[in-house]
Amino acid sequence: MADKPSFFITTPIYYVNAAPHLGTAYCTMLCDVQARYRRAVGYDVKFLTGMDEHGEKVAEAAQQHGFATPQEWCDSQAPLFKDLWQKLEISNDDFIRTTEPRQNHAVQYLWERMRESGYLYKGSYDGWYCVPEETYFTENQVKKSDEERGTKGEHLCPDCGRPLERVQEESYFFKLSAFQDKLLALYDERPDFVQPAFRMNEVRSFVEGGLTDLSVSRTSFDWGIKVPFDEKHVTYVWFDALLNYMTSVGYGVDSDEARAELAYRWPAQYHVVGKDIIRFHCVIWPAMLMAAGLPITHTVFGHGFLLTKGEKMSKSKGNGMKPADLVKIFGVDAYRYYFMSDVQFGHDGNISMERMVQVYNADLANTWGNLCSRVFNMTNKYFDGKVPPVPADAAECVANPMLPIVEQLYVKYDACMSQVDFTGAAAAVQELAGRVNLYVEESAPWNLAKKEETQGDLAAVIYNALEAIRIIALYMAPFMPNTSAEVFRRLSLGDVEAVTDIEAATAWGKLPAGNTVTVGDPLFPRLNMDEIDLDAE
Ligand code: ME8
């Protein structure tokens, strides 16, 4: 804990029913870029991700894979998630697994608070359950959707279309229906609670349509957290999973330290989730928090789906490219850059190898990478690999067209980043990179180098280009941390990740003259679509 403001950001915790894929990596990367940006503007960030290990879906996956217990299956999968996040430079501060004792403790603590709240009652559930979605559906919802689809009597999931399971069992219920007005009031008071704004309309109309009480315990299977006062019941997986966010910041722990952490970290600033689980986060979760007398998260950001050839990619369908394959072809930074800059946040995004190569070549090989190569090379050639000092009179002879762009860039970038508009932020930085490339073209240092009287101008041009590179590296760091760190190394500058005031750090003129500049290998060698071997091991 620090004297800085807290910024607590979370990914969904992923079901352990298969290895992580591009969709889950996308959501985790979104949070990582946001976490890195928030650190760079001075927040004390806590970034949480993890695994959702309970429920029927995970128990079934364990069985299908021939594991003796779901726990062994989850233990075998945890390294896949952790390794991939490391490979993708994900800077999470915590990794929670819902089978950890801390989660068991927090969930059981919540059950007691729910019992005291009066929003819990015992009854019996008779309806439908979708295991892949871990969601209940009433007879009416199923009937309506079957009729709409023309599949009367088949009992398919209204959301994903897969066969439903009939559930008839004793269950504890959470009085979700009691929260309809309170939720609508929350949406009115806090229009930013759900972002992008169009997702708020979906949530609101869902709640306006009426809420039914939620079955929050199961007796027909046992892979879950036991209800502390009635041990034949286990917690419904979502009632368990949603609480992970609070477990991670000390909920239910009886110590001064934990209480202080909870007060500092909660409510979270952002839950970033896919559009399919918006309802859980914007209806059930705030209602649970209200029932327990706890503050509600500031904002739930709902992102769209990644589609390949128009179809949603998913673990269960097993379609699509694997994150590790893309890292092999493009490198981690370019992989991150493509997904963050080319998929407009909030909307579904069609991804393809062709488009990835196109973005890579245009933005990274030809613009950002090329700029570094040519300017570092010229520094080497004309100034013995040292940042040249700019003679006092040279600034007047060489106009600096980058300056007005740089002066406005922070405000533009900051506005985009804080709205999770990474496409806009990346485009603003690319505009500067493009301008520097053009500036080098226009001012033709190779001609200035030929004459004695233009040596001062030459120094100014090289200095300006190097300084712009330093600034671009700072702004690109949340997207491409390795490349920015490498550019900083080549400019003999310190740790780019240590920056906590990016506005001050990107003010013009901070690059010290005399620093050694190393040319190094090309940062992004051009790629040719025809030479990419998708099946290479
Ligand atoms: O829902 N494109 O876990 P999950 C983009 N355990 N995002 C995608 C995607 C795609 N093609 N496919 C999946 C769960 N996702 C729960 C969360 S949180 C308390 C519990 C996203 O592993 C999906 O939208 O099924 C969701 O946000 C996330 O991956 C986790 O999916």
Side-chain angles (χ1 to χ4, degrees), residues 118-161:
Y119 289 113
L120 199 66
Y121 64 92
K122 201 172 185 176
S124 98
Y125 181 78
D126 184 355
W128 297 96
Y129 194 74
C130 174
V131 176
E133 304 278 318
E134 296 282 16
T135 306
Y136 294 99
F137 292 100
T138 60
E139 187 71 44
N140 276 347
Q141 285 170 314
V142 175
K143 221 162 87 187
K144 194 167 148 244
S145 132
D146 280 354
E147 273 161 16
E148 275 165 14
R149 255 198 306 240
T151 54
K152 233 167 153 186
E154 272 193 64
H155 307 304
L156 302 178
C157 172
D159 283 356
C160 71

Side-chain angles (χ1 to χ4, degrees), residues 11-17 21-27 51-52 57 81 132 237-238 240-245 272-277 281 303-307 311-315:
T11 72
I13 47 171
Y14 303 111
Y15 283 128
V16 193
N17 60 328
H21 59 93
L22 286 187
T24 47
Y26 171 69
C27 187
M51 307 201 314
D52 193 353
K57 171 150 79 173
F81 283 83
V237 65
W238 272 100
D240 162 1
L242 287 162
L243 199 69
N244 90 87
Y245 305 130
V272 178
V273 302
K275 63 179 185 179
D276 53 335
I277 57 172
H281 285 82
H303 65 75
F305 285 146
L306 298 181
L307 311 172
E311 203 187 45
K312 184 191 166 199
M313 319 183 42
S314 73
K315 281 181 277 199

Side-chain angles (χ1 to χ4, degrees), residues 344-358:
Q344 182 72 51
F345 180 79
H347 299 272
D348 290 351
N350 260 305
I351 55 164
S352 72
M353 190 60 85
E354 289 78 9
R355 178 73 188 147
M356 250 179 268
V357 171
Q358 201 181 11

